[in-house]
């Protein structure tokens, strides 16, 4: 049986402002994201820096629902997504922390209809504030040193953004950059240009996930502010 996917942007269950929205997943009209008191993933988790719902020939993971307070790191309903010819396969299961529980169920979608819905939600920028727009433009397709990934961007003060990067299971890296909320596109371009330069010149601080680690020599430089565990 082939199912129909519907994705929407809706206000978070416990939102304190209209800016707090979630991606809500419905399959054949049934709301998956709000099942069992959960909520949908935030746009940062679902759509930035890449759209997690995009189906390729390899399995990728998309969050369909998660803890409304803690987010996907606490507990989640996840889909393993893969394109198989003219179909898209989801293998849906529950995760608690890093552990998957219970059995996965398979859902199949017509690839053409699926792709159209995924492209439609990606083109919907109604959730974006100036900060969201700058963050998306900074992270989308960002060329970083091998092994480093973009995570998210947030405001940390007047005229300043924090770009959160990560070397999975090794380091968290934060780069503080100036920005103009009236000119998010130009600000994002300037940040991308800076991150394309030598890592030793980044105004960054980082944290060793494993603890007791020295900063890698390749990234050391006079402008780095180091945090140790």
């Amino acid at each position: 049986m082939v199912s129909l996917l519907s994705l929407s942007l809706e206000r978070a269950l416990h939102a304190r402002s209209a800016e707090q929205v979630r991606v809500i997943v419905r399959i054949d009209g049934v709301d998956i994201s709000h099942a069992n008191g959960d909520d949908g993933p935030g746009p940062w988790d679902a759509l930035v820096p890449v759209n997690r719902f995009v189906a390729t020939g390899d399995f990728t993971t998309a969050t369909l629902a998660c803890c409304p307070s803690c987010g996907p790191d606490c507990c989640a309903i996840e889909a393993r997504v893969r394109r198989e010819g003219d179909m898209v396969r989801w293998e849906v299961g529950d995760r608690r922390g890093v552990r998957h529980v219970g059995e996965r169920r398979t859902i199949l979608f017509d690839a053409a209809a699926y792709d159209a819905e995924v492209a439609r939600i990606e083109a919907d920028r109604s959730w974006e504030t100036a900060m969201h727009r700058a963050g998306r433009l900074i992270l989308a397709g960002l060329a970083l040193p091998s092994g480093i990934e973009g995570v998210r961007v947030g405001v940390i003060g007047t005229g300043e953004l924090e770009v959160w990067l990560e070397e999975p299971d090794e380091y968290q890296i934060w780069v503080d950059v100036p920005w103009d909320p009236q000119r998010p596109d130009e600000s994002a371009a300037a940040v991308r240009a800076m991150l394309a330069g030598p890592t030793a010149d980044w105004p960054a601080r980082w944290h060793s996930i494993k603890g007791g680690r020295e900063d890698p020599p390749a990234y050391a430089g006079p402008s780095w502010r180091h945090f140790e565990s």
Side-chain angles (χ1 to χ4, degrees):
M1 178 178 176
V2 178
S3 292
L4 183 66
L5 174 68
S6 175
L7 301 170
S8 61
L9 292 166
E10 301 178 18
R11 188 166 179 171
L13 286 179
H14 305 300
R16 292 187 292 271
S17 72
E19 296 176 1
Q20 293 180 287
V21 299
R22 298 292 183 264
V23 178
I24 305 303
V25 180
R26 292 180 174 85
I27 300 174
D28 298 325
V30 177
D31 187 336
I32 303 299
S33 297
H34 289 136
N36 303 317
D38 290 335
D39 205 352
W44 281 112
D45 296 309
L47 306 175
V48 181
V50 296
N51 188 335
R52 306 292 182 183
F53 295 102
V54 171
T56 69
D58 298 318
F59 272 119
T60 56
T61 301
T63 299
L64 312 183
C66 57
C67 172
S69 300
C70 306
D73 290 342
C74 175
C75 60
I77 300 175
E78 292 182 337
R80 297 179 71 223
V81 181
R82 185 172 71 179
R83 180 180 304 278
E84 298 179 349
D86 60 357
M87 305 294 289
V88 171
R89 172 188 292 271
W90 277 14
E91 295 179 1
V92 179
D94 292 344
R95 176 177 55 75
R96 298 291 181 268
V98 298
R99 186 171 64 90
H100 288 88
V101 297
E103 296 183 356
R104 295 181 182 272
R105 63 187 181 100
T106 297
I107 304 174
L108 298 176
F109 304 94
D110 173 78
Y114 180 94
D115 290 346
E117 181 64 3
V118 170
R120 185 193 64 77
I121 198 68
E122 183 168 354
D124 186 346
R125 307 298 185 196
S126 61
W127 63 278
E128 290 187 341
T129 62
M131 184 276 291
H132 289 141
R133 179 172 178 84
R136 175 176 59 81
L137 293 174
I138 289 169
L139 295 178
L142 180 62
L144 291 167
S146 178
I148 295 181
E149 303 172 355
V151 179
R152 60 174 54 89
V153 176
V155 173
I156 58 173
T158 302
E160 190 171 26
L161 293 177
E162 180 181 75
V163 182
W164 179 2
L165 310 174
E166 187 172 81
E167 186 175 351
D169 301 321
E170 296 289 340
Y171 295 96
Q172 294 172 322
I173 305 167
W174 296 276
V175 185
D176 298 343
V177 295
W179 83 301
D180 181 348
Q182 302 302 316
R183 304 175 64 190
D185 293 44
E186 294 87 343
S187 297
V191 174
R192 288 175 65 91
M194 181 270 294
L195 292 174
T199 53
D201 293 340
W202 292 356
R205 63 194 191 278
W206 60 355
H207 167 76
S208 172
I209 296 173
K210 293 184 177 179
R213 298 279 298 275
E214 295 294 330
D215 297 334
Y219 300 147
S223 62
W224 285 80
R225 300 193 296 270
H226 305 309
F227 283 173
E228 294 294 337
S229 296

